[in-house]
Amino acid sequence: MTIEFATPYRSRSHIPPDPGVPYFIEKGMGDRAHLFADLITVYAGGEQTENTFNFFTVEGPKGDTIPAHSHPETYEVFYVVEGAVRLFVEDLNGRQHEKVLTPGDFGFVPKDYPHAYRIERHHSRIVGVAAGPGGTFERFFENLGEPTDELVMPTEPVVPEAHTFAGVPERFDVGFLPGHQWRTGS
């Protein structure tokens, strides 16, 4: 038996809209969105955790580096469960670091640190958690990308129109860094 809940973002969801309610979600059945070439699945967000953290997965093909960005009030973790992901991070002194993460590897990005990632192997999967005083940003994915009921990555990349980059990211503690260059060599 599947329980479905309506949320402000979807006509149906397996995630209850109220905090403090236990629930279970089968693999892949969270709230899903396509953004760029990736499938993002949210399993818990601000609505369930009183804006203390979120829990989501990103699944994607080998591809381009996502745009450099930072979260002024949010800490983010990357845990790779399948494939390989190259994580780029710049500290507040301008030193850049990169590391290829493979299954079982973990990466931590403090708030306000510029970062990006690139999926290095097809069918890679990242578990992400974000938390901080700014709340959570999981609804960014479906507001900038396209909500979907599909359980697969998009057949064509979902690239947001330029005007959507202006307002959507700020509402979700995401600041894109146009023109940012990674000088780490990869």
Side-chain angles (χ1 to χ4, degrees):
M1 177 174 164
T2 301
I3 299 172
E4 292 183 352
F5 301 92
T7 70
Y9 313 99
R10 309 185 152 277
S11 59
R12 62 184 171 80
S13 175
H14 298 282
I15 303 173
D18 300 316
V21 177
Y23 63 96
F24 305 93
I25 297 178
E26 293 178 17
K27 179 182 176 182
M29 297 308 292
D31 292 348
R32 297 176 299 282
H34 289 150
L35 182 58
F36 305 116
D38 300 336
L39 171 66
I40 295 95
T41 305
V42 174
Y43 291 91
E47 297 101 342
Q48 296 73 47
T49 67
E50 297 177 339
N51 282 324
T52 57
F53 73 94
N54 62 26
F55 183 96
F56 59 94
T57 61
V58 177
E59 184 176 355
K62 182 176 180 177
D64 296 329
T65 304
I66 64 145
H69 64 284
S70 66
H71 307 286
E73 296 294 327
T74 306
Y75 299 87
E76 187 172 8
V77 300
F78 295 77
Y79 182 81
V80 175
V81 295
E82 201 173 332
V85 177
R86 185 177 304 271
L87 181 59
F88 301 87
V89 181
E90 182 173 299
D91 65 29
L92 297 180
N93 295 317
R95 288 185 302 263
Q96 293 187 352
H97 312 272
E98 74 173 75
K99 174 77 174 164
V100 174
L101 305 174
T102 57
D105 290 345
F106 174 90
F108 174 74
V109 179
K111 67 180 183 174
D112 216 22
Y113 277 53
H115 62 284
Y117 68 86
R118 180 175 68 224
I119 294 178
E120 298 288 336
R121 290 186 196 142
H122 290 298
H123 304 289
S124 292
R125 184 176 294 145
I126 306 163
V127 170
V129 177
T136 63
F137 63 73
E138 73 282 346
R139 297 302 172 190
F140 162 82
F141 301 119
E142 61 193 19
N143 278 275
L144 192 63
E146 292 178 358
T148 184
D149 288 326
E150 295 177 19
L151 293 170
V152 296
M153 295 175 282
T155 55
E156 295 290 325
V158 175
V159 179
E161 294 181 24
H163 73 278
T164 60
F165 278 97
V168 170
E170 290 176 13
R171 292 193 342 241
F172 297 101
D173 196 37
V174 178
F176 283 107
L177 306 168
H180 188 83
Q181 296 293 312
W182 296 106
R183 302 178 305 277
T184 54
S186 295

